[in-house]
Amino acid sequence: MQVNNARLGPVQSGVAAPATIADSPASGEDKAARRERQETPLSAPGRFQQWGRLGQAQNRVAQLQAAEQSLSQVYLQLRTLAQRMHASAMSPEQQGRWGEQLARLSEQLQREGQLDARLQPRALEGDAARYRYQLDKVDLLGPRPVRERVSLLLAGQQQAMGITIAPGQRPAETLAQLNRHLAPLGISAESEQGRVQLVAKGKADAVLRQPILMQGEGVRVPAGEPVLIKASPEPDALAPLAEAARKGELLSEREHLNRVMTRIQDYAQRLQAQRQLILQQMADDWPAPAIEQRGDAAPLAGPASRFEQLVAALLAQANVSRHNAVALLRKE
């Protein structure tokens, strides 16, 4: 087995940033325009609007960092497991211990709620969470030498959707037919290990929790009266590893282990990219002027982060304190 030695980027307690925010170029603006905007005093409502947006951005960055921490924890565990599997054979007792350890890790991740069953950070899902269900009791993507017309009726729908699967038809063509019908419902069809996976956004999850009424011609779906086929919720990504370890069959899950590790690396890169994008937007929107350090202030151990510089700039410009914050809101 090829063990991927690439490391996830360390989860930083602070926010990485260049030493000087003012040097970051803003798209579509020249230096003179940015300097003029920087030197123009804001009204009290404008200052508090900046504070509000700053707080929202900081909260978003904190969510992304929390997800990175959860991903890093899982990745380190799986990398250690992969290295031990590659170095030497594991006894049934050792595999059993790994099974229990993975089960505890899965329970912990569920309690924290940062990652979904695929270990995808919920911070990447946007406003609508995604729920995945497998059609593992019927094969709509495998090759067959016979043409078949299949009808599917989802819960709450008045009319069944029909697809035609030709002999030797490619899975992508079958998925395209399904997606034409499913898209208006907030559901999409994907391929997962040769089976159809249905992905619901937000409240569309309630549709897939109910059985699907299907009718076919005896090739993939039984002919005659329609049959109820229930899609199975996607299992936890760590569940197959934990189950195989308990049975002493962990070596058979090497490919699954590698897929999960690769998936985690991809998610980590996307989290880091989103975090850097937010910080860059903050720097472009509100370039912080240089703040003179007070003579009696203790010297900083290192360069301030973007958020620290932005907060310092807003404090210097607004001179806000707990006692005059409400008064400032009433001024123009």
Side-chain angles (χ1 to χ4, degrees):
M1 175 187 68
Q2 296 295 327
V3 179
N4 194 335
N5 291 322
R7 290 175 174 238
L8 288 177
V11 178
Q12 303 172 0
S13 58
V15 179
T20 305
I21 291 181
D23 293 337
S24 300
S27 59
E29 291 185 323
D30 56 24
K31 293 183 179 179
R34 295 180 70 240
R35 191 183 307 112
E36 179 181 358
R37 183 180 64 179
Q38 175 178 320
E39 295 174 353
T40 302
L42 289 173
S43 64
R47 287 194 294 270
F48 277 89
Q49 183 181 24
Q50 280 193 333
W51 274 107
R53 294 177 63 185
L54 181 64
Q56 291 174 358
Q58 192 167 16
N59 182 61
R60 176 64 174 158
V61 169
Q63 292 175 349
L64 296 173
Q65 287 182 317
E68 283 186 74
Q69 291 176 347
S70 293
L71 281 180
S72 295
Q73 181 182 12
V74 180
Y75 186 83
L76 290 175
Q77 291 264 16
L78 296 184
R79 188 181 65 179
T80 301
L81 173 59
Q83 289 172 340
R84 293 186 180 179
M85 289 172 61
H86 180 69
S88 60
M90 300 176 66
S91 67
E93 292 76 15
Q94 290 174 322
Q95 294 189 46
R97 287 194 294 270
W98 269 105
E100 297 302 322
Q101 186 171 337
L102 291 172
R104 288 194 299 270
L105 177 59
S106 178
E107 293 175 359
Q108 177 184 340
L109 294 175
Q110 291 178 14
R111 288 195 304 269
E112 293 174 352
Q114 296 290 341
L115 311 178
D116 66 9
R118 292 174 59 87
L119 301 180
Q120 175 173 337
R122 299 191 185 280
L124 293 176
E125 296 178 345
D127 296 332
R130 288 172 172 80
Y131 305 90
R132 300 172 183 272
Y133 291 80
Q134 309 275 10
L135 278 180
D136 49 14
K137 297 179 181 178
V138 58
D139 179 14
L140 298 180
L141 301 181
R144 296 289 190 278
V146 182
R147 174 188 177 278
E148 183 176 25
R149 177 74 177 177
V150 178
S151 298
L152 303 89
L153 180 62
L154 275 65
Q157 303 302 305
Q158 300 297 323
Q159 186 175 359
M161 60 186 71
I163 62 172
T164 300
I165 308 176
Q169 179 168 292
R170 294 182 303 169
E173 297 173 350
T174 304
L175 293 174
Q177 292 186 60
L178 286 171
N179 281 316
R180 281 196 292 270
H181 295 289
L182 294 171
L185 306 178
I187 301 173
S188 62
E190 302 174 358
S191 175
E192 180 67 22
Q193 298 184 2
R195 290 290 190 272
V196 171
Q197 182 178 80
L198 300 176
V199 184
K201 295 181 181 180
K203 296 181 179 180
D205 170 52
V207 176
L208 297 183
R209 288 202 298 266
Q210 302 299 320
I212 302 173
L213 195 62
M214 301 183 67
Q215 186 176 22
E217 299 173 350
V219 180
R220 294 172 175 80
V221 181
E225 294 296 323
V227 295
L228 287 173
I229 296 179
K230 188 172 179 60
S232 305
E234 183 182 35
D236 188 322
L238 299 179
L241 296 172
E243 183 64 22
R246 292 194 187 98
K247 295 179 178 179
E249 301 172 354
L250 189 55
L251 296 179
S252 64
E253 294 295 328
R254 284 180 172 179
E255 291 186 6
H256 178 74
L257 175 59
N258 285 336
R259 285 196 303 270
V260 173
M261 293 176 66
T262 300
R263 186 187 303 166
I264 291 175
Q265 287 180 309
D266 177 65
Y267 291 152
Q269 291 173 359
R270 291 167 59 186
L271 285 171
Q272 293 166 6
Q274 283 201 17
R275 181 157 52 88
Q276 293 302 322
L277 176 61
I278 292 173
L279 296 176
Q280 186 62 55
Q281 290 173 342
M282 293 288 294
D284 290 345
D285 287 346
W286 302 303
I291 306 301
E292 294 184 2
Q293 186 174 331
R294 295 176 53 185
D296 58 348
L300 294 176
S305 71
R306 286 180 177 174
F307 274 126
E308 290 170 333
Q309 292 185 12
L310 286 168
V311 169
L314 289 173
L315 280 171
Q317 187 180 45
N319 193 22
V320 177
S321 71
R322 290 182 300 173
H323 303 291
N324 62 12
V326 176
L328 278 172
L329 284 173
R330 296 174 180 172
K331 294 180 180 180
E332 291 299 327

